[in-house]
């Protein structure tokens, strides 16, 4: 290809080590882009030959053949086959490889949505993005704020470690690195519920479990922490409160046992010094300021919210 991505210019690569969780990304470019050259029903095939030394000492060759369908320049077909989760991870790897900052990601995202979205020129209210692409801008919003592109407050060693890991992990784990998972534990809802990675989820009477792959954080709201400081969990009549405290701890223990490299475990509360692990990741949809007072769940940041980011993106995409 004219544009080299990663280790290009060859069809053979050497990998120092492979395990069952290692993933590789291959970027292809269609050499012949003339219209109507390939019939829409034509199948394209790719074959990967992996030669490796088995622990038994034998040399093995594994052949994997995958097929993909060619299509014309129809945007409908391309949109229907778009995997936004995999695309987000591929873009993240490419951005990390180039050590690009937000500007490159922003330009790429504007080009994408202006090409595939439905809208009328200079009319932001008419903007509509297909379901297959609807989550992609949100992934890019969190990628822009992640430690992969934002190195402030992170040592060079930490940055190198984070970037090395995203190059080898699968799509699910990589998405957790880009947009952490957040679970809520409360008295009212029973089993833990996934909630938005947003400041609106930082409630006083809940416990949150955040997983960003590198850290597993248990965050307690103000009321929960106050009850804990009073020792309610040690009283028989508050057995349900004790069970509520134990639930996220058990889930966190399971994550720590199953994952390699083992993430850092953090236990904190609203207003605590280590609450920054959560507040730096959530979408600052609200400033947390009410009646001139700032509560412990307030997120003071210069970052724009996801809503403001999307509004600006739409304005740029529909601009004539």
């Amino acid at each position: 290809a004219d544009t080299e991505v990663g280790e290009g210019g060859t069809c053979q690569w050497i990998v120092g080590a492979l395990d069952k969780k290692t993933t590789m990304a291959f970027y292809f470019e269609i050499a012949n882009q003339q219209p109507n050259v390939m019939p829409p029903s034509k199948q394209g095939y790719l074959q990967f030959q992996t030669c490796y030394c088995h622990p038994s000492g034998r040399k093995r060759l594994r052949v994997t053949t995958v097929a993909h369908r060619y299509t014309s320049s129809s945007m409908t077909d391309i949109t229907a086959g778009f995997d936004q989760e995999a695309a987000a991870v591929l873009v993240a790897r490419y951005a990390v490889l180039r050590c690009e900052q937000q500007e490159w990601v922003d330009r790429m995202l504007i080009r994408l949505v202006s090409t595939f979205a439905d809208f009328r020129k200079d009319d932001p209210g008419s903007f509509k993005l297909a379901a297959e692409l609807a989550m992609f801008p949100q992934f890019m919003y969190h990628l822009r704020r992640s430690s992969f592109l934002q190195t402030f407050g992170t040592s060079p060693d930490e940055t190198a470690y984070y970037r090395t890991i995203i190059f080898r992990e699968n799509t699910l784990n990589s998405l957790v690195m880009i947009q952490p998972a957040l679970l809520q534990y409360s008295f009212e809802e029973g089993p833990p519920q996934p909630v938005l990675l947003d400041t609106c989820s930082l409630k006083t009477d809940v416990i949150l479990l955040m997983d960003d792959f590198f850290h597993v954080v248990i965050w307690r709201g103000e009321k929960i922490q106050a009850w804990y400081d009073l020792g309610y969990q040690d009283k028989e009549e508050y057995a349900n409160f004790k069970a509520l405290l134990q639930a996220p701890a058990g889930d966190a223990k399971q994550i720590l046992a199953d994952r390699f490299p083992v993430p850092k475990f953090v236990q904190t509360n609203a207003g605590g010094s280590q609450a920054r692990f959560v507040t730096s990741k959530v979408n600052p949809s609200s400033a947390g300021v009410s009646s001139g007072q700032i509560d412990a769940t307030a997120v003071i940041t210069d970052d724009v919210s996801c809503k403001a980011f999307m509004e600006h993106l739409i304005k740029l995409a529909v601009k004539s």
Side-chain angles (χ1 to χ4, degrees), residues 102-156:
Q102 298 176 355
E103 291 77 12
W104 178 83
V105 176
D106 293 344
R107 291 195 301 269
M108 175 277 304
L109 184 57
I110 293 170
R111 289 197 303 269
L112 177 75
V113 298
S114 61
T115 301
F116 290 95
D118 294 327
F119 58 87
R120 294 187 297 272
K121 287 291 185 180
D122 299 318
D123 183 6
S126 65
F127 183 90
K128 184 178 181 182
L129 201 58
E132 291 83 359
L133 294 95
M135 294 296 295
F136 188 77
Q138 181 176 310
F139 292 143
M140 294 300 99
Y141 168 78
H142 288 287
L143 174 63
R144 294 167 78 256
R145 304 177 70 222
S146 69
S147 300
F148 301 115
L149 301 184
Q150 298 290 340
T151 58
F152 179 78
T154 306
S155 71

Side-chain angles (χ1 to χ4, degrees), residues 18-312:
L18 286 172
D19 59 43
K20 62 182 180 180
K21 294 185 178 180
T22 302
T23 60
M24 300 290 177
F26 293 90
Y27 298 75
F28 295 95
E29 181 180 1
I30 303 299
N32 191 342
Q33 299 187 9
Q34 298 298 321
N36 303 322
V37 172
M38 300 297 296
S41 59
K42 183 71 174 180
Q43 291 282 339
Y45 296 94
L46 295 171
Q47 189 173 86
F48 299 93
Q49 299 181 7
T50 307
C51 185
Y52 63 98
C53 184
H54 190 265
S56 64
R58 294 181 178 181
K59 191 175 183 180
R60 293 187 177 182
L61 176 65
R62 172 175 291 183
V63 180
T64 305
T65 304
V66 295
H68 61 274
R69 183 171 66 89
Y70 284 105
T71 183
S72 63
S73 56
S74 170
M75 293 301 177
T76 303
D77 286 347
I78 296 175
T79 301
F82 187 76
D83 186 337
Q84 55 190 338
E85 288 86 3
V89 176
L90 291 174
V91 168
R93 289 189 178 191
Y94 190 31
V96 168
L97 177 70
R98 295 177 49 170
C99 295
E100 293 286 353
Q101 297 303 313
Q102 298 176 355
E103 291 77 12
W104 178 83
V105 176
D106 293 344
R107 291 195 301 269
M108 175 277 304
L109 184 57
I110 293 170
R111 289 197 303 269
L112 177 75
V113 298
S114 61
T115 301
F116 290 95
D118 294 327
F119 58 87
R120 294 187 297 272
K121 287 291 185 180
D122 299 318
D123 183 6
S126 65
F127 183 90
K128 184 178 181 182
L129 201 58
E132 291 83 359
L133 294 95
M135 294 296 295
F136 188 77
Q138 181 176 310
F139 292 143
M140 294 300 99
Y141 168 78
H142 288 287
L143 174 63
R144 294 167 78 256
R145 304 177 70 222
S146 69
S147 300
F148 301 115
L149 301 184
Q150 298 290 340
T151 58
F152 179 78
T154 306
S155 71
D157 287 348
E158 286 179 302
T159 300
Y161 169 68
Y162 295 153
R163 292 177 173 180
T164 300
I165 294 298
I166 198 173
F167 279 135
R168 68 178 299 275
E169 287 297 330
N170 58 33
T171 300
L172 179 60
N173 288 341
S174 298
L175 281 178
V176 170
M177 300 178 204
I178 296 170
Q179 181 175 327
L182 196 64
L183 290 178
Q184 174 181 288
Y185 300 77
S186 65
F187 291 116
E188 291 80 9
E189 297 180 353
Q193 301 292 323
V195 293
L196 295 174
L197 189 66
D198 193 285
T199 52
C200 66
S201 299
L202 303 180
K203 302 175 182 177
T204 61
D205 56 349
V206 303
I207 301 176
L208 299 177
L209 175 63
M210 191 195 76
D211 177 15
D212 71 356
F213 190 85
F214 303 108
H215 305 88
V216 175
V217 185
I218 294 178
W219 180 94
R220 296 172 182 158
E222 285 183 283
K223 286 184 179 180
I224 299 294
Q225 184 62 33
W227 295 338
Y228 177 83
D229 293 339
L230 292 172
Y232 284 6
Q233 68 279 6
D234 299 324
K235 301 177 181 180
E236 293 184 5
E237 60 268 31
Y238 295 104
N240 59 337
F241 179 60
K242 182 178 181 180
L244 180 65
L245 294 175
Q246 292 175 340
D251 292 343
K253 185 177 180 180
Q254 185 65 40
I255 295 173
L256 296 173
D258 294 343
R259 181 170 299 161
F260 180 83
V262 179
K264 179 180 179 180
F265 177 66
V266 178
Q267 188 161 292
T268 185
N269 58 277
S273 63
Q274 292 187 310
R276 66 185 186 277
F277 285 101
V278 176
T279 56
S280 65
K281 299 291 185 180
V282 295
N283 167 40
S285 62
S286 61
V289 180
S290 178
S291 302
Q293 296 181 345
I294 302 177
D295 59 24
T297 61
V299 177
I300 309 302
T301 178
D302 291 332
D303 289 344
V304 299
S305 67
C306 188
K307 180 181 178 182
F309 174 77
M310 285 298 302
E311 290 174 349
H312 192 58

